[in-house]
Amino acid sequence: MSHVLAPPSTPSTPALPRGARRVAWLLMGMAMLLGVLALLAVAALSAARAYVAGEGQWSRAQKTATLALVQYLQTGDEAQYRAFERELAVPLADRRAREALDRGAADDARQAFLDGRNHPDDVAGMVGLYRCCHSLPLMAESVAIWREADGLVAELQALAADARARPPDTRAALLPHVLALDARLTPLEQRFSASLGLASRLTATALVAALVVSALLFGLAAARLVMRRAREDLAAHQAVQRSEALFRSVWETSIDGAVIIDAGSTIRFANPALHALLGHAPGSLAGQPVAVMQPEALQGPHAAGLARHVATGEKRQDWRGVQTLARHADGRELSVEIRFSRFELDGETLFVGFVHDLTERRAAERVAAEHRRLQEVDRARSEFLARMSHELRTPLNAVLGFTDLVRSGHSGPVNPEQVRQLGFVSGAGRHLLALIDDLLTLSRLDAGRLTLSVQPLDLAELTTEVAAQLRPQAAARGLGLTVSAPATLPWHGDRQKLAQVLHNLVAHALRGATHGDVEIGAHLAGRSLVLAVRDHGPGVPEAQRALLFQPFQPLDSGAAHAQEGTGLGLYLSSQLVALMNGSLHHEAPEDGGSRFVVELEPL
């Protein structure tokens, strides 16, 4: 490695003569003492200034509160009384602060000063000044004025309370008392400011005197200093050491690789991060040609470009960020970004480059591209499901319509057995239509296009219709289907989606039931609507209950028809109920079976 980049040697530190060292220690002690005195004086001045500023806040608040109280006495406007209370809170907070300090409760005093609109940065100084100096003559006078003013503010507060309790037409009689109190408060405020101002001026005078005396002492001590040149050299040497230490710290701890090369493409320095990035042993790159870091195809163009730049200063790339390839020690190529610049050191042209590994960025870009591709596939799937659901619904509705027409006898007489069989056809068709509706709803949910159509409806009528549609399926399985609801049950909601939810829950109950009736219940609980579907099957095993409202999860409850269906009904029902401002949950009755409960709030 070139000497220009080699670590600097550590020369011996020049020593100061003994007499100079004694004077230096003396100066340091005096400087520390002066610094402490100066800090104390500045803190005292700052605190006094804070009290003056606080007095200004106190006075403004008191005057504003008095004006608001006068207007309240004249007009009876409650807003003015609230303004009076709000503004009077400032003097009252300052009184709480003083009382807290008198009893040694510094934390309470700080909060009270903040409540009194004092600046947060001033509060600590105000507390400290009061605690250390409140008994001194000037400060004691200010505190006495403060107490007297607090007494008048208390009288003003009492007058306000008296006015509030009086009939409105008698409140104006208190106006002279309020104005008299205000007139007594004004000179107290002026005396308080004058007292603190005098204390501040005396403190400033003492500070100036201390500074003058200290300056004289410093001048006498400085005259005895020797080896001025040695001290300056020492300071310069320490500055160079700090600069070199800072440079080396940044250089060696950088997470990006860093390299310095000369005009002949020789590596003069490479930091540890670059060795680690390219798989080389620490320190092994120094003195190597830069080609050791480059793929073979890039070595020729680099050498030509560097020679051209050194000769003419021409740049054909943006040096602030060049994306290229680097060669790892094991031969593989890495995608990197290099930012580099030219500099001169002792008349020699050098180039520094910072190498950032783009492997993770490239991997993230590939992941993002794959994510976008999957999103597009999902969008295409949703559109396909929507189109197919629409194409299936049209002929199926025709089948159901003609089946119901024949079953009703409008196309000719049918016997009871034919009516029963046509009922099976109608029930199966409506079951298939419900599955198609589920697929269509799923595609709309995925696409974010599902909306509500809220209108008045009768839930009792709706539950009866759903029960009638599914009763043939129940009969085919030897089950009953009962409805428990008031004669009428008015509600505002989306009729189609409520019917879809109820149809899915009843269909799920029919698949899980083994005996007895499937019970549909509907009632109002306060302002909420409660729908419940109960079956008497084996119920849902506890291990599978966490999967109840997950998509494509048909459950095995042990019933003969338990795994029929797509596994979408409960998932879509939960999503639709959530869209309608409600919740769907499962209960396991002690006597067996399952109970699904829908609770809806008004839309």
Side-chain angles (χ1 to χ4, degrees), residues 188-251:
L188 288 178
E189 295 164 0
Q190 295 171 349
R191 286 172 55 201
F192 184 85
S193 296
S195 176
L196 285 178
L198 178 59
S200 300
R201 289 191 295 274
L202 291 176
T203 303
T205 301
L207 177 60
V208 170
L211 289 174
V212 170
V213 172
S214 299
L216 290 174
L217 293 175
F218 267 95
L220 293 173
R224 300 176 57 191
L225 283 176
V226 294
M227 300 292 290
R228 182 182 182 89
R229 181 65 181 178
R231 293 179 68 247
E232 292 176 352
D233 289 345
L234 176 60
H237 172 72
Q238 292 174 340
V240 170
Q241 284 188 320
R242 287 195 298 270
S243 177
E244 290 180 350
L246 178 62
F247 165 78
R248 188 169 296 277
S249 174
V250 172
W251 190 265

Side-chain angles (χ1 to χ4, degrees), residues 362-516:
R362 294 285 184 260
E365 290 173 351
R366 289 193 294 271
V367 170
E370 179 65 13
H371 179 66
R372 289 192 295 272
R373 186 188 70 80
L374 292 176
Q375 284 183 320
E376 180 62 23
V377 169
D378 188 62
R379 184 193 63 78
R381 177 186 64 82
S382 297
E383 291 183 356
F384 171 76
L385 286 175
R387 287 196 299 271
M388 288 302 299
S389 299
H390 177 73
E391 294 297 328
L392 289 172
R393 282 173 59 90
T394 301
L396 186 56
N397 280 326
V399 170
L400 290 174
F402 282 110
T403 300
D404 291 342
L405 184 65
V406 173
R407 185 184 179 194
S408 64
H410 288 85
S411 297
V414 289
N415 59 45
E417 179 59 23
Q418 291 172 329
V419 171
R420 187 178 71 84
Q421 294 176 359
L422 287 171
F424 293 152
V425 173
S426 177
R430 295 188 187 281
H431 177 66
L432 181 57
L433 183 61
L435 294 179
I436 294 171
D437 284 340
D438 286 347
L439 288 175
L440 185 59
T441 301
L442 177 64
S443 67
R444 288 174 177 170
L445 274 172
D446 288 344
R449 296 196 298 265
L450 198 62
T451 58
L452 296 178
S453 176
V454 180
Q455 57 186 347
L457 57 99
D458 186 349
L459 258 298
E461 177 184 334
L462 180 62
T463 54
T464 302
E465 289 179 5
V466 172
Q469 294 171 5
L470 294 174
R471 195 163 275 117
Q473 293 184 32
R477 296 178 178 179
L479 301 172
L481 189 56
T482 64
V483 176
S484 174
T488 60
L489 190 56
W491 188 254
H492 278 74
D494 189 316
R495 180 183 177 86
Q496 186 271 332
K497 291 180 177 60
L498 282 170
Q500 187 175 357
V501 170
L502 196 55
H503 187 284
N504 284 339
L505 295 179
V506 176
H508 177 82
L510 291 175
R511 289 194 296 271
T514 56
H515 63 279

Side-chain angles (χ1 to χ4, degrees), residues 76-300:
D77 185 359
E78 287 296 322
Q80 294 297 327
Y81 191 86
R82 290 192 295 272
F84 163 78
E85 291 181 321
R86 183 174 58 252
E87 295 300 320
L88 196 66
V90 173
L92 294 177
D94 286 342
R95 184 180 69 184
R96 292 200 310 275
R98 176 179 54 76
E99 292 171 347
L101 289 171
D102 287 340
R103 63 175 184 270
D107 290 339
D108 294 344
R110 292 187 187 94
Q111 185 57 50
F113 275 134
L114 289 174
D115 294 341
R117 300 179 186 172
N118 293 284
H119 194 280
D121 293 341
D122 294 337
V123 169
M126 296 172 73
V127 171
L129 181 63
Y130 188 97
R131 295 177 68 178
C132 73
C133 301
H134 71 279
S135 60
L136 297 179
L138 288 176
M139 190 68 179
E141 180 183 356
S142 300
V143 171
I145 296 171
W146 189 356
R147 286 196 180 94
E148 185 178 354
D150 284 343
L152 296 179
V153 168
E155 293 182 31
L156 187 64
Q157 185 181 23
L159 279 175
D162 184 19
R164 191 70 179 274
R166 289 187 175 206
D169 56 353
T170 65
R171 292 171 181 165
L174 298 177
L175 188 58
H177 299 285
V178 172
L179 296 177
L181 281 175
D182 181 64
R184 292 170 61 189
L185 279 166
T186 299
L188 288 178
E189 295 164 0
Q190 295 171 349
R191 286 172 55 201
F192 184 85
S193 296
S195 176
L196 285 178
L198 178 59
S200 300
R201 289 191 295 274
L202 291 176
T203 303
T205 301
L207 177 60
V208 170
L211 289 174
V212 170
V213 172
S214 299
L216 290 174
L217 293 175
F218 267 95
L220 293 173
R224 300 176 57 191
L225 283 176
V226 294
M227 300 292 290
R228 182 182 182 89
R229 181 65 181 178
R231 293 179 68 247
E232 292 176 352
D233 289 345
L234 176 60
H237 172 72
Q238 292 174 340
V240 170
Q241 284 188 320
R242 287 195 298 270
S243 177
E244 290 180 350
L246 178 62
F247 165 78
R248 188 169 296 277
S249 174
V250 172
W251 190 265
E252 295 185 354
T253 60
S254 171
I255 61 174
D256 282 342
V259 61
I260 293 177
I261 65 172
D262 58 22
S265 292
T266 299
I267 299 173
R268 305 288 288 277
F269 184 86
N271 73 341
L274 187 65
H275 287 86
L277 174 63
L278 300 181
H280 292 274
S284 62
L285 288 175
Q288 297 289 327
V290 75
V292 75
M293 306 189 313
Q294 297 174 318
E296 185 175 352
L298 298 180
Q299 294 172 10

